[in-house]
Amino acid sequence: MKTYLIPILLFLGISLSAQQTNDLKLWYKSSAGAVWENALPIGNGFQGAMVFGNVEKEVFQLNEATVWSGSPNRNDNPNAKQALSEIRKLLFEKEYKKAEKLINENIITKKSHGQIFQPVGNLELSFSNQQDFTDYYRELDIENAVAKTTYKVDGITYIREAFTSFPDRVLVIKLSADKPGNVSFSAAFSSEHKKQEIIVSGNNELLLLCTTSDHEGVEGKVKFNATAKFKIQGGNIKSAGNSLQIEGADSVLIYVSIATNFKNYNDISGNENELATSFMNKAFGKSYDKMKEAHIAFYQKYFRRVQLDLGDTDASKLPTDERLANFRKVSDPSFVTLYYQYGRYLLISSSQPGGQAANLQGIWNKSMAPAWDSKYTININTEMNYWPAEKTNLSEMHEPLLKMIQELAQTGKETAKVMYGARGWMAHHNTDIWRINGAVDGAKWGVWNAGGGWLSQHLWEHYLFTGDKKYLESVYETLKGAADFYADFLVKDPANGWLVVAPGNSPENAPAAHQGSAVTAGSTMDNQIVFDVFSSVIKASEVLGKNKQYSDSLKTLRNMLPPMQIGQYNQLQEWLDDVDDPKDNHRHISHLYGLYPSNQISAYRTPELFAAAKNTLLQRGDISTGWSMGWKVNWWAKMQDGNHAYSLIQNQLTPLGVNKEGGGTYNNLFDAHPPFQIDGNFGCTSGITEMLMQSSDDAIHLLPALPDALKEYGEISGIKAHGGFEIKNLKWKNGKLIAVTIQSNLGGNLRLRTPNEIRTKENKNLKIASGINSNVFYQTVEVKKPLIAAKSTIKPLDITPTYLYDIKTEKGKSYSFLIK
């Protein structure tokens, strides 16, 4: 949409169409060269590929979601149980270093610290006599999930297209020229796996057969078959050693099928060769155009659910890498739109029902030994990957994580019993495809035992958005198992009688006052997670009409948890004792879990805690690594400070190396921790949604954190809220909400919080809201009043006034509102 048209259309209340396709492309005037972070990601949730766009040697770096080192294994440390009481005694005596030593000796695993997500290898296409090219262009069209490269040599235009087909489970590559007989190249596989075999068959096929690596005493037993099959039009094809040589073709189609012997975390009895062949046979007979059409239709069914238009400026006409370099200095609102939708693209491409959950790098990894093994770090990173799933209308993409949680609940039962003598299930701060639950890496990281508790809240969140009682029934025992663990594991703090998690920590942060140790008893984050675990099971029990006596016992335990505390620097305390350092800039601000993703801290229900949370954010500072910046965007959105949230988006959308403290974004818009971690992409997409709509408190809050940079006009449609509400055509102009339509998929009371007065489309006034929201999806749990330090001068913040309405809705109906 052209800039000058949008205000007119908005005034008229005309619904804007989806973003122009040109607005939803990453495009460049040069190839990726040898830099992986310049290559463009495509994926179908099972296969991933990075497309480099190099003219002379094109590279498709390949991944498959189940290609991991090792094989089924467990890494529990049974010594934990016998050492637990002594560790707790030392913690309560504030002998943190001594407790840490015992934890490293008795709780941290003596086996594998987790296995590695590994690449398949590369499909390399080598072209001769094409070094003198002109008019180079490459793009990733996230409207269609297709990558494309074009260039000219000697007046001939060459075109390469690639996509990873969603319905057909293969990578499809088309090479063509605008004059016949000019497509010539050699094709070969390469891989760094030690156990590998490359076969050139007489059927125009290349096969790469590998077995993954042994790691930390666990034998690599994942076998995979990567098959590339060629269909040429004109010209000829022949084998040449371990490669295929194509000469003088008009066009060439390459189909790449990848499969492994992995069935599930405890079963690798599959036949990778038969499976790869079945994918290939299904796809090979189909035409390119029909496969592409089916692929796009499958993808757009999800992608087009949400449309965002923030306007356009001349800055958007530049290539993506130049826009990235300029973003902090110019007005380029459509770059925010592109980044937002790129996050949704990456989630659709890396997380499909029936597949594996998106790991630390989604599904894209070039290294045999990537940073942090590209595992599932479940003290923030894995959870952040899925923050956009429900709210940006990609509930189906949540399924792989929800399934992983159910699997962890099975393996975690043994961990809870063997290590801690507890019922239920638990997981520490890391897991992998084999669903390990033991403590890894060391006491500073690994003793944190809330991974299972936090993950379980994703099961509850899925219910809050969908209202699906059958689903809730199916996951109830998993929710209950997380609560059972804490019911057994919590111990009374002798100093004050509160029930606390001991040992635990506030992920990865180590206060000087605790002898520089991260281990503690009753960290604020632990307390908040236990509160949520108990609360969700209590609510689920009520919804399903079961286990009232059990639910009442959890209420008793919940009431014995520590209250949140406000310290001497007017900060939300991170630990039970008031030892926060206002100069601490640690990237983890885990005790703000209660602000987001939880809703325990609220501008309207807990004003002192809300003010303390803001002070904590200010004390910790803005610039940080990628995922931390993503979390901070969500926090500042919850603080209703759109300008601060936007400044963090600007910091995030800065080329790597510009922010002196680290972080930023690579040229392909991957989040730079550094190195690449995909969580920052997903965190920002979530945060942008939270700036425009929030539903985790007692109402749907429209435009809670609209920044000045985006106030002029805009529209978003298709995002979801708790209770089955879908926000359609939310429009604003000059910072004012001017129109919105909300579809009620479950019925019930719609409580709306708006920045200005609105009325119905029929020009009727709305009922002013009062009392507790009758909609059960919006009934929040009261938290204890905070304990406030004697030195604290905390005062509630001045919150921007809003209007609050109640509207009765019927299931399946839509309700439209306009500016009053």
Side-chain angles (χ1 to χ4, degrees), residues 535-768:
S535 297
S536 60
V537 176
I538 291 166
K539 289 181 182 177
S541 300
E542 292 171 355
V543 170
L544 299 173
K546 63 199 298 182
N547 289 355
K548 185 179 186 306
Q549 188 174 353
Y550 175 78
S551 175
D552 288 343
S553 73
L554 293 185
K555 290 179 182 177
T556 301
L557 293 176
R558 185 177 65 185
N559 197 45
M560 297 173 71
L561 296 172
M564 284 180 271
Q565 301 181 80
I566 297 170
Q568 60 186 315
Y569 301 110
N570 294 325
Q571 86 285 9
L572 182 69
Q573 285 184 203
E574 188 165 1
W575 295 276
L576 284 184
D577 44 350
D578 189 0
V579 295
D580 298 272
D581 181 353
K583 296 180 181 178
D584 175 11
N585 299 129
H586 197 274
R587 65 191 179 281
H588 282 263
I589 320 178
S590 301
H591 49 310
L592 292 191
Y593 165 93
L595 177 65
Y596 185 88
S598 184
N599 63 357
Q600 295 171 36
I601 299 173
S602 161
Y604 306 102
R605 293 180 289 108
T606 62
E608 291 89 0
L609 288 171
F610 190 70
K614 181 175 183 179
N615 288 329
T616 291
L617 279 170
L618 291 171
Q619 289 163 13
R620 284 292 175 91
D622 285 350
I623 302 296
S624 188
T625 53
W627 64 262
S628 181
M629 276 195 267
W631 203 348
K632 288 173 183 175
V633 173
N634 288 269
W635 281 324
W636 281 108
K638 292 287 283 186
M639 296 304 310
Q640 304 180 20
D641 190 335
N643 288 338
H644 209 136
Y646 190 80
S647 72
L648 284 158
I649 293 170
Q650 289 177 306
N651 288 340
Q652 180 80 330
L653 283 173
T654 298
L656 181 66
V658 174
N659 295 326
K660 64 179 181 180
E661 293 88 351
T665 295
Y666 294 108
N667 281 337
N668 65 0
L669 300 192
F670 271 169
D671 165 59
H673 180 60
F676 162 54
Q677 286 184 195
I678 205 166
D679 38 38
N681 291 93
F682 295 137
C684 261
T685 292
S686 168
I688 294 165
T689 312
E690 293 288 321
M691 292 164 71
L692 303 178
M693 185 277 297
Q694 297 172 15
S695 69
S696 58
D697 214 330
D698 62 353
I700 294 177
H701 192 168
L702 302 179
L703 305 182
L706 187 65
D708 292 342
L710 303 177
K711 272 188 175 179
E712 188 177 349
Y713 50 76
E715 175 181 351
I716 191 167
S717 184
I719 53 178
K720 288 286 194 76
H722 286 181
F725 293 109
E726 183 172 340
I727 315 302
K728 295 178 177 286
N729 306 317
L730 168 61
K731 305 175 187 178
W732 65 91
K733 180 174 173 59
N734 296 328
K736 270 193 172 185
L737 170 68
I738 62 169
V740 65
T741 297
I742 298 179
Q743 181 173 311
S744 177
N745 295 319
L746 298 175
N749 185 57
L750 167 62
R751 179 165 288 185
L752 274 182
R753 188 180 294 278
T754 62
N756 50 272
E757 289 186 280
I758 57 172
R759 56 177 172 79
T760 68
K761 193 176 179 181
E762 296 75 27
N763 204 28
K764 293 181 180 178
N765 289 331
L766 296 174
K767 178 185 174 184
I768 302 300

Side-chain angles (χ1 to χ4, degrees), residues 310-473:
L310 298 173
D312 207 356
T313 66
D314 287 343
S316 67
K317 297 176 182 178
L318 295 174
T320 301
D321 51 342
E322 295 181 36
R323 293 178 76 181
L324 178 66
N326 294 339
F327 183 66
R328 292 209 297 187
K329 300 173 284 188
V330 301
S331 173
D332 189 359
S334 64
F335 199 47
V336 179
T337 299
L338 178 66
Y339 193 57
Y340 177 86
Q341 293 287 32
Y342 187 52
R344 297 182 68 248
Y345 165 83
L346 292 173
L347 188 57
I348 298 169
S349 302
S350 63
S351 184
Q352 282 287 311
Q356 295 299 310
N359 61 49
L360 202 58
Q361 296 186 191
I363 201 174
W364 299 280
N365 167 42
K366 66 173 179 176
S367 174
M368 292 290 287
W372 304 285
D373 300 331
S374 197
K375 296 194 295 280
Y376 298 100
T377 303
I378 54 178
N379 68 8
I380 174 56
N381 312 90
T382 302
E383 290 87 353
M384 183 179 285
N385 282 359
Y386 285 88
W387 286 353
E390 301 290 343
K391 69 184 73 166
T392 75
N393 213 333
L394 296 176
S395 189
E396 295 90 340
M397 275 73 262
H398 211 170
E399 189 271 347
L401 179 69
L402 304 181
K403 180 183 176 185
M404 184 178 105
I405 295 165
Q406 296 273 62
E407 292 173 344
L408 279 171
Q410 294 304 310
T411 59
K413 288 178 184 177
E414 186 172 342
T415 307
K417 181 180 179 181
V418 167
M419 291 187 65
Y420 301 113
R423 296 170 300 151
W425 71 278
M426 63 82 63
H428 292 88
H429 94 292
N430 231 287
T431 191
D432 61 15
I433 199 169
W434 310 114
R435 308 309 185 230
I436 60 164
N437 306 74
V440 305
D441 294 344
K444 181 176 180 179
W445 306 272
V447 76
W448 189 76
N449 50 48
W454 189 351
L455 283 174
S456 73
Q457 296 313 290
H458 281 259
L459 304 175
W460 177 243
E461 189 78 351
H462 183 66
Y463 169 72
L464 288 179
F465 276 92
T466 64
D468 186 342
K469 288 187 181 180
K470 287 184 178 179
Y471 162 80
L472 184 61
E473 180 72 57

Side-chain angles (χ1 to χ4, degrees), residues 6-42:
I6 294 174
I8 299 171
L9 289 172
L10 283 169
F11 257 129
L12 294 175
I14 298 171
S15 177
L16 299 176
S17 63
Q19 304 98 326
Q20 284 185 347
T21 302
N22 286 345
D23 293 336
L24 293 177
K25 289 181 178 179
L26 284 67
W27 69 275
Y28 308 83
K29 293 180 179 179
S30 59
S31 72
V35 180
W36 186 84
E37 293 83 2
N38 287 343
L40 298 174
I42 55 177

